[in-house]
Amino acid sequence: MTTSINPPRILPDVAFDAAAAARPLDWVGMSNIALPLNVASGTGETLQVAASADVAVNLAKADARGIHMSRLYLELQHAFTGEVLTPAGLRRVLQTLVDTQAGLSSAARLVLRYEHLLLRPALASEHAGWKRYPVEIDARLEDGHLHLGLRFALEYSSTCPASAALSRQINAERFAEDFADARPMSTAVVRDWLASPRGLAATPHAQRSRADVHVALRPAFDELPLGHLIDELERGLATPVQTAVKREDEQAFARLNADNLMFCEDAARRVAAVLSGDPRVERFDATVSHFESLHAHDAVATVAGHGPASASPEG
């Protein structure tokens, strides 16, 4: 009895056909690829997050019909296994993506989207909670140079300065009305009045607000500064929305809002002050949106600028 071994089948590959209307293409690839990523949590730990990836290379050879698309997908599936996302890792992956194309490409681009989680302590109590921040990393390798961009958003509370001034006026008028004939007036009586419902004749309007930030990063740093930038911006805005909240935390939050009355213009300037002083930032643009409780529309301000003139790799 003899056994015949069938030779491997040769499958057609039309990618090697000549291209009609031949010309180079800027980017060719795939979008919305599911991918797990390992990212720093900000507490010294590593978290695995579910990401969506867009991957592409340029088609530099004008008469080539197409790229080796499946090679990009397969390479991406294990590209970041076992390592935290870093600029060096992104550069390595991008160069590998170019190499898979066997001379068809000279540049690669990778866009990664995910929700970054940071553990945030309460303002006054011993509690803490996780907070999520939508993130997009845009990494390109062109002519041997790595270009890195970060997009992310953070939420904060904004209390209107005009509304606060108008409320104070009404409170003062009620005080004058209630104490018009009070003689003498003791501190204890005034304190009790302020703590009563009569002591709050009007309240300023406040609303949840959001800063959408885009930064182009300088390539001289070993880590993606996402957590650092979020921390600095939340400190600059001073009223980030909270996670775990007990009564003492809510009171502390109310005090922060009173100490940081903000129009959208004020918030945009605070964001710009942080980003323009960060040595990791080459340039930035940001939009702050106050989702008004007074109006049916939003108040919006946009600002753009550059980081410091020279970068230092410290920190």
Side-chain angles (χ1 to χ4, degrees), residues 266-284:
D266 301 314
R269 291 184 178 111
R270 290 188 181 203
V271 168
V274 171
L275 297 176
S276 63
D278 195 296
R280 299 164 180 81
V281 173
E282 179 68 37
R283 62 184 183 276
F284 66 87

Side-chain angles (χ1 to χ4, degrees), residues 159-235:
T159 301
C160 176
S163 183
L166 295 169
S167 297
R168 287 193 299 268
Q169 182 185 48
I170 294 176
N171 288 332
E173 289 172 352
R174 178 178 285 183
F175 178 85
E177 175 187 341
D178 286 1
F179 289 89
D181 299 323
R183 296 290 187 277
M185 189 183 304
S186 70
T187 301
V189 169
V190 174
R191 182 192 60 206
D192 291 343
W193 181 88
L194 289 171
S196 73
R198 290 290 298 176
L200 191 61
T203 59
H205 76 82
Q207 52 272 320
R208 186 182 295 181
S209 305
R210 187 182 69 229
D212 292 288
V213 177
H214 172 230
V215 296
L217 297 174
R218 290 181 169 131
F221 299 95
D222 296 330
E223 298 179 353
L224 290 170
L226 177 63
H228 170 84
L229 289 173
I230 290 173
D231 287 344
E232 290 301 307
L233 286 168
E234 288 192 338
R235 275 192 284 269

Side-chain angles (χ1 to χ4, degrees), residues 37-43 45 47 49-50 84-85 113-120 130-137 150-153 224-228 230-231:
L37 291 178
N38 297 308
V39 298
S41 67
T43 59
E45 301 173 345
L47 295 177
V49 297
V84 175
L85 200 61
R113 292 176 294 272
Y114 67 96
E115 288 195 335
H116 197 79
L117 288 172
L118 292 175
L119 187 63
R120 293 318 209 190
W130 290 98
K131 195 170 170 184
R132 59 188 177 188
Y133 303 83
V135 175
E136 180 179 287
I137 299 170
L150 276 180
R151 292 185 184 274
F152 57 94
L224 290 170
L226 177 63
H228 170 84
I230 290 173
D231 287 344

Side-chain angles (χ1 to χ4, degrees), residues 278-315:
D278 195 296
R280 299 164 180 81
V281 173
E282 179 68 37
R283 62 184 183 276
F284 66 87
D285 60 83
T287 298
V288 297
S289 303
H290 291 189
F291 308 121
E292 293 276 323
S293 61
L294 172 63
H295 303 290
H297 54 264
D298 305 330
V300 179
T302 299
V303 64
H306 293 81
S310 61
S312 167
E314 296 179 2

Side-chain angles (χ1 to χ4, degrees), residues 10-72:
I10 299 176
L11 302 175
D13 189 352
V14 298
F16 288 101
D17 294 348
R23 64 173 297 159
L25 297 174
D26 295 335
W27 299 111
V28 185
M30 293 159 283
S31 62
N32 296 318
I33 298 172
L35 194 69
L37 291 178
N38 297 308
V39 298
S41 67
T43 59
E45 301 173 345
T46 300
L47 295 177
Q48 188 175 79
V49 297
S52 172
D54 300 344
V55 61
V57 292
N58 68 330
L59 183 51
K61 192 174 180 181
D63 59 350
R65 187 172 186 184
I67 66 167
H68 301 291
M69 195 169 292
S70 63
R71 297 180 188 179
L72 298 181

